[in-house]
Amino acid sequence: MCGIVGYIGRRDAVPVLLEGLRRLEYRGYDSAGLAVVYRGKLQVTKTAGRVQDLRDQVSDRVHSTVGIGHTRWATHGEPNEVNAHPHLDAAGNIAVVHNGIIENAEQLRDQLTAAGVTLVSDTDTEALAHLIAAEKTDGSSLEDAVLRALRRVEGTYGLLVLDVRCPDELVVARNGSPIVLGIGENEMFIASDVAAIVRHTQRVVYLDDTEVATVRSNGYQTRTLDNQRTNKTPTTVEAEAGDYELGPYADFMRKEIHEQPEALRRVLRGRLDERFATARLGGINLDARELRSVRRVKFLGCGSAYYAGQMGAVLVEELARVPADAEPASEFRYRNPVVDAETLYVAISQSGETLDTLMAVQELKRKGGQVLGAVNVVGSAIARECGHGVFLHAGPEIAVASTKALTNMAASFALLGLLIGRVRDMSAAEGSRIVAGLRALPEQINHVLAQEDNIATIAGQFADAEHMFYIGRVRAWPVAREGAQKLKEISYVHAEAYQASELKHGPLALIDASMPSVVLVPDDELFSKNISTIEQIKARGGPVIAVTSGDLPADLADAVIRVPHCTPELDPILLTIPLQMFAYHMAAKLGRDIDKPRNLAKSVTVE
Ligand code: F6R
């Protein structure tokens, strides 16, 4: 969703800001803008279009060494040029860009209006510009003014402020919406997402909630809202500029699907312990005794992260014999959950920014629950809120549809299940079997990827379907749900997932020649049950695409996608890959904008 970028230093800020905004496009936005100081005045350019439109509108004559930029996802007020950020105070001295939601915006706007201020936009953000201007009395620094203004604000913000009267500094603040400072040589970058700045620097500092920083070209100073100085240690980001490039691929989703073997190797690296047939997850900070006292594991996430959690629940139950389940974090936070001290909660998020998941973590912590993060983005809000957990190391995921992060989520939960299992009843021999199974997975995924042509051909045969069923059982049930989700979000073909044995309790009525079913048939103890499922569908004239690691009777299914045999407990990880490719090729055949499906954003930072 919204994105922030800022620059102060020695080069021309305009191209740096435009390039940064372009890197943030993947997050989803509906308007964009920037402000720089030019000839002693704020020069603001905004558009209700794309970053390219903004680039076309910025005058070539404008140069500056300081500026701020923004991509906006509308919350307060429609996506037009007036509502686009930056917003200015009445005198045109102060420009702000803001991510997040000001909850008392209505009240603040009323107070400002009563004080004679005319607000020109419908946004919550504009109020911030006027508040800061009102606090910037003679002699006070911009940082003091921002601090005082923020004390009147309720809500979440990543905030970046430029004052034309102090062009050698920018002020930033964070509360619930990420802000990262990038450190260069006599230049500093500011962003809401390292994607915007990583081509310039990998040395970064993440602001904490309620922290404010003054940034100058030669450094920064931080303090808290209640005026305590803070000391920040810079870290080096894992990602490199090349991770954000398409390379030989036409779109990021296909690139990220093909990166999965390597991404999986990264999440497993150093975490498989052959000697003791277990997993090493140092980041969870739980010793054997604490792990033994876990009575239940509950996974929380949204969308695909929730389906990964369902895969995790099956894995943990099977490997550790500890009851486990998954729940959408978006529901959990609203239902006044009973939080149990002996349950281990796992908050799952690729972006680490999903507001529903963040709120669920905060609710859990308020109630004394112990929560681990399973997060891809280091320094993100959920990772920081959880404090400990498992990083997914999938590398930056740019396509809106999650692929490699989901695979690494499921693999991390296999590691967690193995670890808890081995401090309980799992034998060393069983542990070794799982360790070997995990080690073999990246190469097995390569075998699935090698079938892309076959999968694309099958997608071509079914691309005119209006509806599809995805059918799975037990381990393969979350895989079916995730497969249906992928198809819906990127191809816009309606898809429903059902547990195989539920078909006969209702959905079978919908089966006919116009309702193809993707049936997951791993070669496990339920193989023959799944064959009967296919027969039931075929008997009603329904076309079947079987995804299988077993030997299906000839001509049983209309199309077959083969996956290699793997350790049965790990089947969900392998079975997910062909469904990603199938959805991708369906969407490609239908000419969809695969990386940026309509109505969706990469990070859902609103309720
Ligand atoms: C689907 C998808 C979404 C996300 C969900 C949670 O492909 O990407 O369903 O999984 O919005 O996002 P994160 O994992 O960033 O919390």
Side-chain angles (χ1 to χ4, degrees), residues 302-305 348-351 354 400-402 409 485-486 489 604:
C302 297
S304 292
I348 316 160
S349 179
Q350 186 286 126
S351 62
T354 303
V400 163
S402 187
M409 288 168 187
Q485 155 108 333
K486 278 286 154 300
E489 66 181 330
V604 186

Side-chain angles (χ1 to χ4, degrees), residues 174-464:
R174 170 194 166 132
N175 188 36
S177 202
I179 288 284
V180 58
L181 312 182
I183 304 165
E185 286 289 323
N186 281 323
E187 57 182 352
M188 290 286 296
F189 305 84
I190 296 124
S192 52
D193 176 335
V194 287
I197 57 175
V198 74
R199 67 194 295 264
H200 302 295
T201 179
Q202 286 175 273
R203 279 190 78 217
V204 299
V205 164
Y206 295 96
L207 287 198
D208 283 310
D209 278 348
T210 71
E211 234 174 359
V212 177
T214 294
V215 181
R216 300 198 172 85
S217 55
N218 59 358
Y220 59 92
Q221 274 196 324
T222 50
R223 56 173 156 154
T224 58
L225 270 190
D226 49 13
N227 228 346
Q228 304 298 314
R229 284 274 163 223
T230 52
N231 269 326
K232 313 289 291 182
T233 314
T235 53
T236 303
V237 286
E238 247 182 31
E240 290 171 16
D243 294 337
Y244 297 91
E245 307 291 345
L246 277 171
Y249 294 96
D251 35 53
F252 280 103
M253 183 175 176
R254 182 151 178 268
K255 176 178 186 244
E256 287 159 11
I257 288 174
H258 281 269
E259 282 172 350
Q260 288 178 108
E262 201 37 50
L264 189 56
R265 283 192 189 97
R266 275 200 303 271
V267 78
L268 297 178
R269 195 162 294 147
R271 288 173 166 170
L272 288 173
D273 181 340
E274 256 93 7
R275 183 158 167 234
F276 295 110
T278 186
R280 278 191 223 106
L281 292 174
I284 66 174
N285 285 341
L286 294 173
D287 62 24
R289 190 178 289 271
E290 288 164 323
L291 283 170
R292 278 194 71 86
S293 62
V294 169
R295 292 276 157 267
R296 182 170 203 97
V297 180
K298 187 171 193 84
F299 294 90
L300 296 163
C302 297
S304 292
Y306 159 55
Y307 300 136
Q310 277 204 312
M311 295 177 198
V314 178
L315 278 159
V316 166
E317 281 208 354
E318 280 203 283
L319 299 180
R321 303 305 297 158
V322 174
D325 68 344
E327 182 177 336
S330 42
E331 285 285 301
F332 183 82
R333 60 175 287 214
Y334 287 118
R335 68 171 179 81
N336 190 20
V338 176
V339 173
D340 167 25
E342 293 182 328
T343 296
L344 179 63
Y345 295 89
V346 183
I348 316 160
S349 179
Q350 186 286 126
S351 62
E353 285 178 40
T354 303
L355 191 72
D356 286 325
T357 311
L358 179 64
M359 293 296 186
V361 173
Q362 288 172 348
E363 179 72 2
L364 272 167
K365 286 180 67 180
R366 235 188 326 270
K367 292 185 164 171
Q370 69 170 320
V371 53
L372 299 180
V375 176
N376 196 34
V377 178
V378 178
S380 59
I382 295 171
R384 297 165 82 79
E385 189 72 47
C386 291
H388 55 161
V390 187
F391 280 115
L392 301 173
H393 298 303
E397 201 181 61
I398 308 296
V400 163
S402 187
T403 53
K404 58 180 182 170
L406 175 124
T407 299
N408 280 15
M409 288 168 187
S412 306
F413 304 150
L415 292 170
L416 183 65
L418 174 62
L419 180 64
I420 303 178
R422 288 288 291 129
V423 297
R424 299 165 75 98
D425 295 333
M426 185 190 272
S427 68
E430 274 295 279
S432 294
R433 186 176 64 80
I434 302 299
V435 169
L438 282 164
R439 278 239 186 274
L441 268 181
E443 203 39 48
Q444 289 167 333
I445 292 180
N446 270 330
H447 281 107
V448 180
L449 296 177
Q451 292 189 56
E452 185 161 14
D453 288 349
N454 174 39
I455 295 173
T457 307
I458 298 172
Q461 286 159 14
F462 289 89
D464 57 359

Side-chain angles (χ1 to χ4, degrees), residues 479-552:
V479 180
R481 299 189 81 186
E482 166 59 11
Q485 155 108 333
K486 278 286 154 300
L487 188 73
K488 280 184 276 207
E489 66 181 330
I490 59 165
S491 74
Y492 318 147
V493 174
H494 173 226
E496 293 286 343
Y498 288 104
Q499 284 136 317
S501 27
E502 278 294 299
L503 270 184
K504 57 186 177 297
H505 297 292
L508 212 49
L510 287 172
I511 296 283
D512 65 12
S514 68
M515 178 65 84
S517 297
V518 176
V519 185
L520 298 164
V521 198
D523 190 12
D524 61 11
E525 61 285 2
L526 297 170
F527 186 71
S528 61
K529 299 265 180 234
N530 287 319
I531 302 275
S532 338
T533 302
I534 297 180
E535 280 162 351
Q536 282 174 29
I537 296 171
K538 293 298 300 174
R540 280 135 190 110
V544 168
I545 303 165
V547 182
T548 186
S549 50
D551 290 325
L552 286 190

